[in-house]
Amino acid sequence: MTDVAPRLAALAERLLEEPLPIRIRAWDGSTAGPPSAPVLRIRHRRALRRILWSPGELGLARAWVAGELDVDGDLYGLLAQLAPLLWEKNEDGGSRQRVAALVRDPDVRAAARELLSLGGPLPPPAPPREETRRRFGVRHTPGRDRQAVRHHYDVGNDFYELVLGPSMVYSCAYWEPGDEGRKPTLEEAQHAKLDLVCRKLALTTGSRLLDVGCGWGSLVLHAAREYGASAVGITLSHEQATYARKRVAEEGLADRVEIRVQDYRDVADGPYDAIASIGMAEHVGREHYLQYAGGLYSLLKPGGRLLNHQIARRPLRDESAYRVDDFIEAYVFPDGELAPLARTAGALEEAGFEVRDVESLREHYALTLRAWVDNLEGAFPRAAALTSPGRARVWRLYMAASALAFERNRIGVNQILAVRTPVSGESGLPLRTREWLGG
């Protein structure tokens, strides 16, 4: 049998209702699709069973993580062709309705039965072990948040060192042009981002900083070392905390930096002069966001500043249709949620903050993700050995798809500078608000 790929391509075009923009290479050696297009390789018939039993993104993700699907050549090129079909078409939920309607189509059901026979015997394969298992408790309670955060972050510090590089910063870098237009290295760009945050927060010697979701400690170390701040970093990940404490000790900054395994809701030792929340608010959840913003407000002294660095999604015509991508929910950020920029700014204002500056870093994150993908692809066998082949494949797909999502304006990332402005109205900011830009 050497006709699997043409049969798959025919069904795909029926489901998509348009020509297939990629080339398929099946396990039987057959191919179909435009000769010059990116190639999706179907390595094993089990991939069909996964897709048929979990139609859409989740089935594809399971087959990818299991190594049953792969790409010949440029992963970005393949994802760029698939993005308009899988993620950008009818983003308000219409695509799921369309698939549901097609499933009721007798011709499509007949084709599905044919593909089921190609996929091999039942039952469907078990999900890859990298998929998050059932989580207990109400969403975004402290216990459930610990489960979600540890699924994502406790996969090995050595793995993160390989992907993130020496800076160990897991948020977008700030890509300022180097000397004579030279592109900075990832480490230089991450240093620039840390410094930008410290300047926006107006840190000086003795400033008391709280870093909510401190990761591996890079910001608190930078603030203490470069600005003389006294910094507290909190995380729910024991692996991150252990790593960060080791860095603090090695740099001789234990008198100025404290790392805690602590939920943001349990911090009670304010007031702080400044608070940074970088890449953490995506874990909070819409039903808890006002509590989050109010809690940070209460921890700041009057005149204190908050720097909230957060990924944002585009608003939907029907916000009730929003749901996290199945792949992200199952393999990357369990219980994570994105909100439009306006909703985040509104919640901060409702909590009492005065929003003073918003800076979009959307293109910066795309550049950062591509640098991380380069790091991963350049040492993929070691990455797979440090975690698992499936986990390494999760990260390769997640970061490459995310880079394209930022480039295509499906998602963005923003730094919001907000102030707990006192009753007097004196914000403490100069008339030329963006003094941190220099010049």
Side-chain angles (χ1 to χ4, degrees), residues 101-115:
L102 283 169
V103 168
R104 293 191 294 269
D105 185 311
D107 292 337
V108 173
R109 293 176 70 176
R113 286 193 295 270
E114 179 184 359
L115 286 177

Side-chain angles (χ1 to χ4, degrees), residues 1-163:
M1 182 187 301
T2 57
D3 63 347
V4 171
R7 293 159 72 182
L8 291 175
L11 177 62
E13 291 182 348
R14 174 70 181 89
L15 291 170
L16 297 171
E17 299 178 323
E18 56 187 273
L20 190 64
I22 63 171
R23 189 165 180 80
I24 294 175
R25 187 181 304 278
W27 65 89
D28 65 344
S30 63
T31 59
S36 60
V39 177
L40 176 67
R41 180 183 289 274
I42 306 174
R43 293 187 175 277
H44 199 284
R45 64 176 60 209
R46 279 192 302 269
L48 300 185
R49 301 213 304 277
R50 295 188 191 277
I51 294 167
L52 286 167
W53 283 94
S54 298
E57 186 174 313
L58 184 58
L60 288 166
R62 286 172 172 168
W64 171 268
V65 174
E68 297 153 6
L69 291 181
D70 210 338
V71 58
D72 288 349
D74 180 22
L75 177 58
Y76 292 109
L78 181 78
L79 292 174
Q81 292 295 330
L82 292 178
L85 304 175
L86 295 180
W87 298 294
E88 297 171 3
K89 192 172 185 177
N90 300 320
E91 285 191 320
D92 282 0
S95 60
R96 289 186 177 86
Q97 297 170 5
R98 183 166 54 87
V99 169
L102 283 169
V103 168
R104 293 191 294 269
D105 185 311
D107 292 337
V108 173
R109 293 176 70 176
R113 286 193 295 270
E114 179 184 359
L115 286 177
L116 186 60
S117 67
L118 287 174
L122 298 177
R129 65 185 179 88
E130 290 80 8
E131 185 168 318
T132 181
R133 300 304 186 229
R134 181 183 176 190
R135 298 179 299 283
F136 298 95
V138 178
R139 283 167 59 91
H140 300 301
T141 54
R144 174 117 170 205
D145 280 351
R146 282 193 296 272
Q147 295 176 49
V149 166
R150 290 168 186 172
H151 171 86
H152 185 73
Y153 293 106
D154 289 356
V155 298
N157 291 328
D158 290 344
F159 173 80
Y160 277 104
E161 281 185 334
L162 187 153
V163 174

Side-chain angles (χ1 to χ4, degrees), residues 86-352:
L86 295 180
W87 298 294
E88 297 171 3
K89 192 172 185 177
N90 300 320
E91 285 191 320
D92 282 0
S95 60
R96 289 186 177 86
Q97 297 170 5
R98 183 166 54 87
V99 169
L102 283 169
V103 168
R104 293 191 294 269
D105 185 311
D107 292 337
V108 173
R109 293 176 70 176
R113 286 193 295 270
E114 179 184 359
L115 286 177
L116 186 60
S117 67
L118 287 174
L122 298 177
R129 65 185 179 88
E130 290 80 8
E131 185 168 318
T132 181
R133 300 304 186 229
R134 181 183 176 190
R135 298 179 299 283
F136 298 95
V138 178
R139 283 167 59 91
H140 300 301
T141 54
R144 174 117 170 205
D145 280 351
R146 282 193 296 272
Q147 295 176 49
V149 166
R150 290 168 186 172
H151 171 86
H152 185 73
Y153 293 106
D154 289 356
V155 298
N157 291 328
D158 290 344
F159 173 80
Y160 277 104
E161 281 185 334
L162 187 153
V163 174
L164 303 180
S167 64
M168 286 300 280
V169 179
Y170 184 40
S171 56
C172 80
Y174 195 64
W175 296 87
E176 298 177 306
D179 297 336
E180 299 180 352
R182 177 186 63 85
K183 182 181 177 181
T185 65
L186 174 62
E187 285 65 46
E188 290 169 338
Q190 290 292 15
H191 183 279
K193 192 276 294 296
L194 296 176
D195 212 61
L196 177 68
V197 170
C198 291
R199 296 198 306 272
K200 287 184 176 183
L201 290 173
L203 298 182
T204 59
T205 300
S207 293
R208 192 159 186 249
L209 168 69
L210 173 65
D211 184 7
V212 182
C214 66
W216 293 270
S218 298
L219 175 60
V220 290
L221 285 166
H222 186 92
R225 183 196 320 113
E226 305 294 334
Y227 289 84
S230 174
V232 174
I234 63 171
T235 175
L236 293 178
S237 167
H238 286 280
E239 288 194 17
Q240 285 185 334
T242 298
Y243 189 97
R245 287 167 182 157
K246 183 174 183 289
R247 296 176 75 189
V248 169
E250 289 174 347
E251 293 203 30
L253 293 171
D255 60 329
R256 277 183 276 167
V257 177
E258 178 186 1
I259 304 296
R260 304 174 186 165
V261 177
Q262 188 175 37
D263 191 285
Y264 72 93
R265 287 160 284 206
D266 296 330
V267 179
D269 61 343
Y272 287 87
D273 299 295
I275 297 177
S277 178
I278 301 177
M280 179 272 174
E282 297 88 339
H283 297 287
V284 169
R286 71 180 81 181
E287 66 270 28
H288 291 277
Y289 202 91
L290 189 57
Q291 175 191 6
Y292 156 81
L296 300 188
Y297 182 87
S298 70
L299 288 169
L300 275 173
K301 73 174 188 180
R305 300 184 187 184
L306 166 69
L307 192 285
N308 188 78
H309 175 121
Q310 183 174 345
I311 297 173
R313 60 176 172 83
R314 302 293 298 169
L316 302 177
R317 291 188 298 273
D318 176 11
E319 280 292 319
S320 67
Y322 170 69
R323 57 179 290 180
V324 179
D325 291 342
D326 290 336
F327 170 62
I328 299 293
E329 172 68 18
Y331 288 97
V332 186
F333 284 114
D335 293 343
E337 294 180 48
L338 302 182
L341 171 61
R343 179 177 294 174
T344 298
L348 292 172
E349 290 185 322
E350 190 175 347

